[in-house]
């Protein structure tokens, strides 16, 4: 599909499909070169390759997701949705609700920010930290709250 024809809502759906399948290859050409992707405690800035690397790090740590998009509104270059997510790490499922804002430029994501329910996130973040997912984000060039990786 020609990237200039993708709407912010389509981009949002493709992103979540890439996570849920999981299929990081779907992220190719999805982001602008100066894209920003933010999730609670984690910020990834850069090209699609950088963001794809962060997603691959999550997957290699065993994170699996299932997103259900609720209300989805789109106006111009911005889409916002309600969502419910089942995050599974180390065989344990965490249900988290939230909202996502997807801003597009030229048929690509330039800003993707997820706002999640703080109470529902607490147990999930603890499980992520135990699985060292934040460390994998750090190694991929992402910014987060995890301490630096130990020297090799």
């Amino acid at each position: 599909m020609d990237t200039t024809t993708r709407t912010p809502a389509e981009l949002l759906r493709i992103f979540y499909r890439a996570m849920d399948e999981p299929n990081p290859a779907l992220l190719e050409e999805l982001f602008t070169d100066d894209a920003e992707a933010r999730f609670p405690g984690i910020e990834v800035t850069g090209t699609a390759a950088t963001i794809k690397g962060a997603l691959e790090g999550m997957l290699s740590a065993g994170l699996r997701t299932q997103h259900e998009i609720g209300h989805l509104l789109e106006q111009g270059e911005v889409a916002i949705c309600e969502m419910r997510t089942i995050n599974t790490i180390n065989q344990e499922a965490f249900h988290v609700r939230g909202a996502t804002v997807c801003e597009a430029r030229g048929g690509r994501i330039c800003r993707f920010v997820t706002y999640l329910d703080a109470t529902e996130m607490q147990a999930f973040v603890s499980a992520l930290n135990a699985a060292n997912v934040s460390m994998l984000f750090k190694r991929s060039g992402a910014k987060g709250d995890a301490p630096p990786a130990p020297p090799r």
Side-chain angles (χ1 to χ4, degrees):
M1 176 187 293
D2 179 8
T3 60
T4 59
T5 63
R6 292 186 295 199
T7 68
E10 289 170 321
L11 293 165
L12 189 142
R13 285 186 184 105
I14 293 168
F15 179 86
Y16 283 131
R17 192 171 100 216
M19 291 191 68
D20 293 348
E21 285 185 2
N23 185 355
L26 289 173
L27 298 178
E28 298 291 337
E29 303 295 320
L30 200 61
F31 293 87
T32 62
D33 288 342
D34 59 346
E36 170 190 355
R38 283 190 297 150
F39 309 90
I42 299 169
E43 179 180 331
V44 185
T45 305
T47 65
T50 303
I51 295 167
K52 178 181 171 185
L55 177 57
E56 287 172 336
M58 290 171 40
L59 297 174
S60 70
L63 175 66
R64 295 298 179 260
T65 62
Q66 181 181 349
H67 293 86
E68 180 184 319
I69 296 173
H71 295 294
L72 175 62
L73 303 172
E74 182 177 62
Q75 184 171 359
E77 294 292 325
V78 178
I80 185 169
C81 75
E82 268 186 331
M83 66 163 174
R84 286 183 216 87
T85 306
I86 300 172
N87 297 297
T88 304
I89 188 88
N90 294 330
Q91 311 288 315
E92 191 172 358
F94 300 90
H95 296 258
V96 181
R97 291 171 292 175
T100 298
V101 176
C102 178
E103 293 181 40
R105 185 179 340 117
R108 293 185 182 187
I109 298 171
C110 61
R111 184 171 175 265
F112 194 93
V113 182
T114 302
Y115 303 93
L116 300 173
D117 181 281
T119 303
E120 294 174 349
M121 277 297 293
Q122 288 176 347
F124 176 57
V125 168
S126 293
L128 286 176
N129 288 336
N132 291 317
V133 170
S134 294
M135 297 295 280
L136 290 167
F137 266 97
K138 280 282 200 188
R139 290 188 196 121
S140 72
K143 300 174 192 169
D145 296 330
R152 292 183 181 229

